Amino acid sequence: MSPEPSETDTTPGAAHTAAPPPSAGPSAPERSGGAEPAAGPASADRPRLLRDASPSAVLAGLVAVVVSYSGTLVIVLAAASAGHLDAAQTSSWVGAISIGSGLTCIGLSLRTRMPVITAWSTPGAALLVTSLGAYPYAEAVGAFLVTGAVLTLVGLTGVFGRLMRQVPAAVVSAMLAGILFSFGAHVFTSLKTAPVIAGSVLLAYLLGKRLLPRYAVLIALAAGVVGSAATSRLHVHVDRIELARPVLTTPEFSVASLIGIAVPLILATLASQNAPGMAVLTASGYQPRDRLLIGSTGLVSTALAPFGAHAINLAAITAAICTGPESHPDPRRRYVAGVSCGAFYLVVGAFGSTLVAFFAGLPKELVAAVAGVALFGALAGGLTGAVKEEKDREAALITFLATASGVTLFGIGSAFWGLVFGVAAHLVLSGQWRRRTAGA
């Protein structure tokens, strides 16, 4: 790993060359013998949340939440409708995944001093759109419970992490770039349907980067809101404010629901969510502890399954918003973005569908443009890491193209297939499989 940049380094790849913060709190260097002084301050100089907080990190957490609720929550609501859930059950589902995401964001970010961003399983919700209506809701909840238990077991045993550590760094960076490519492109495709909104966001971001780099995304968001209001595209309104009420459903189990819901949900969550989520943290210069992160999100999923939570997992796209230099130039202070994201999740979760309606009133072009500019730094870092080593460039290119294509095979998203094709290309091009076979 490259030496850590100075705290004022704001280059797009800064997060990808930074020495990782402590993976288990301030005492990690002491447990490892103190061989890495760059891993974090000593316990006497333990970072404090208020001291490390910054407007840019808090804003990064807010943007991540806005992107989550303005986009992927629609899939959850579609799945609830397909499963014929009533308003109370739907509100409980939204509240459960929101609170689960909030608790894990806050807890894991504070524990690891990394910007750990979690969310609900989007591909899992997409699978439920077509399958939830075929089973009684109680059996679906039973499948959610089994899913959480299996995810916990996979995480705590360390199997998932061992597999991820075998993936070349260039392939990981290329997958990250492929995931973020469409979001960066949406900044410009939005110019066609909402030129004032997208144009004001892009122009304000560039001026902000020139004059006030730390607050460029905040300036872009403010300009986008003004542009939305000026073009009468801002339709934010809340008719009433009410707290979400959890609905406890006693789980029931059947072989059919376990095969039809649990198995594909487990595979989709691990391959399309946790794998790229780990990759985002790794590509940003951190050393995520897979057992802690995957195991913890699995436990929370299990606990909240009776209230409707289908799966809580590591996020990828929204994580990239919080792990890049736009969150904070110093990688060791970006964990505040994870805490901020979790706090906003809890607020939305507490009020259930009330604040969901608020986010739904934001123009989609505004959300797309702000998310795109917020991800510019992470996208640039991913591209840099992908082409850094000449010997890995073709494998990285294949990974990038497969991931950016958006192809879905067997219900599993393109991020996973990008990894598969990239690793396969790496093995074929490098000839490592031959050496391993000969040495076996």
Side-chain angles (χ1 to χ4, degrees):
M1 187 162 299
S2 304
E4 182 179 2
S6 65
E7 293 188 6
T8 58
D9 187 357
T10 58
T11 59
H16 300 265
T17 58
S23 58
S27 60
E30 296 177 7
R31 289 195 299 269
S32 61
E36 274 190 54
S43 57
D45 189 29
R46 178 176 300 175
R48 295 186 177 90
L49 181 61
L50 292 179
R51 188 192 70 185
D52 289 343
S54 65
S56 58
V58 174
L59 175 67
L62 175 61
V63 171
V65 169
V66 169
V67 171
S68 293
Y69 285 107
S70 301
T72 60
L73 189 67
V74 176
I75 302 175
V76 174
L77 298 178
S81 177
H84 308 293
L85 273 62
D86 58 32
Q89 291 171 325
T90 302
S91 178
S92 178
W93 187 353
V94 173
I97 58 177
S98 301
I99 291 173
S101 300
L103 292 176
T104 48
C105 277
I106 294 174
L108 292 174
S109 294
L110 289 175
R111 173 65 186 272
T112 64
R113 300 296 176 183
M114 294 185 291
V116 179
I117 308 300
T118 60
W120 49 89
S121 175
T122 301
L127 290 170
L128 294 173
V129 172
T130 58
S131 62
L132 190 60
Y135 307 93
Y137 182 57
E139 290 188 8
V141 169
F144 296 166
L145 192 65
V146 172
T147 297
V150 173
L151 292 175
T152 303
L153 182 64
V154 170
L156 293 179
T157 57
V159 174
F160 184 76
R162 285 195 292 272
L163 291 174
M164 285 298 299
R165 283 190 287 273
Q166 302 304 312
V167 180
V171 171
V172 171
S173 295
M175 185 186 70
L176 172 62
I179 292 172
L180 304 182
F181 173 77
S182 63
F183 286 83
H186 283 164
V187 176
F188 303 97
T189 56
S190 297
L191 288 170
K192 181 178 180 179
T193 56
V196 174
I197 297 174
S200 61
V201 168
L202 180 59
L203 179 60
Y205 173 78
L206 293 175
L207 292 175
K209 287 293 288 184
R210 178 70 178 86
L211 302 174
L212 295 169
R214 289 274 303 277
Y215 308 102
V217 178
L218 176 60
I219 295 170
L221 175 61
V225 170
V226 172
S228 301
T231 55
S232 301
R233 295 286 302 276
L234 196 63
H235 304 298
V236 173
H237 64 278
V238 177
D239 296 329
R240 58 182 179 177
I241 298 177
E242 58 182 12
L243 292 173
R245 298 179 181 178
V247 175
L248 178 65
T249 300
T250 303
E252 297 179 4
F253 304 93
S254 70
V255 175
S257 64
L258 292 180
I259 296 175
I261 295 180
V263 172
L265 183 56
I266 291 166
L267 294 176
T269 301
L270 286 173
S272 299
Q273 294 279 177
N274 283 325
M278 290 281 290
V280 167
L281 285 168
T282 302
S284 298
Y286 297 96
Q287 293 180 338
R289 295 168 54 188
D290 56 280
R291 294 189 182 189
L292 174 64
L293 303 187
I294 308 299
S296 297
T297 53
L299 282 172
V300 172
S301 297
T302 306
L304 294 177
F307 301 99
H310 60 292
I312 305 297
N313 45 245
L314 297 179
I317 295 167
T318 49
I321 296 174
C322 299
T323 57
E326 276 73 22
S327 173
H328 197 283
D330 184 357
R332 291 173 297 184
R333 294 178 62 179
R334 292 175 194 162
Y335 75 93
V336 176
V339 177
S340 166
C341 181
F344 287 120
Y345 269 137
L346 291 180
V347 171
V348 178
F351 292 96
S353 57
T354 300
L355 290 184
V356 171
F358 173 84
F359 288 113
L362 298 175
K364 62 180 182 180
E365 293 86 358
L366 171 62
V367 176
V370 172
V373 297
L375 291 167
F376 276 175
L379 175 56
L383 291 172
T384 300
V387 301
K388 187 176 181 180
E389 298 291 339
E390 184 176 357
K391 63 182 178 64
D392 293 328
R393 284 177 186 170
E394 287 190 85
L397 176 63
I398 290 173
T399 303
F400 173 78
L401 293 175
T403 305
S405 71
V407 64
T408 299
L409 301 174
F410 310 109
I412 300 177
S414 61
F416 173 75
W417 296 115
L419 275 180
V420 170
F421 291 131
V423 171
H426 171 77
L427 292 176
V428 171
L429 294 172
S430 68
Q432 290 186 10
W433 63 279
R434 294 177 180 173
R435 292 195 293 271
R436 289 173 182 170
T437 303

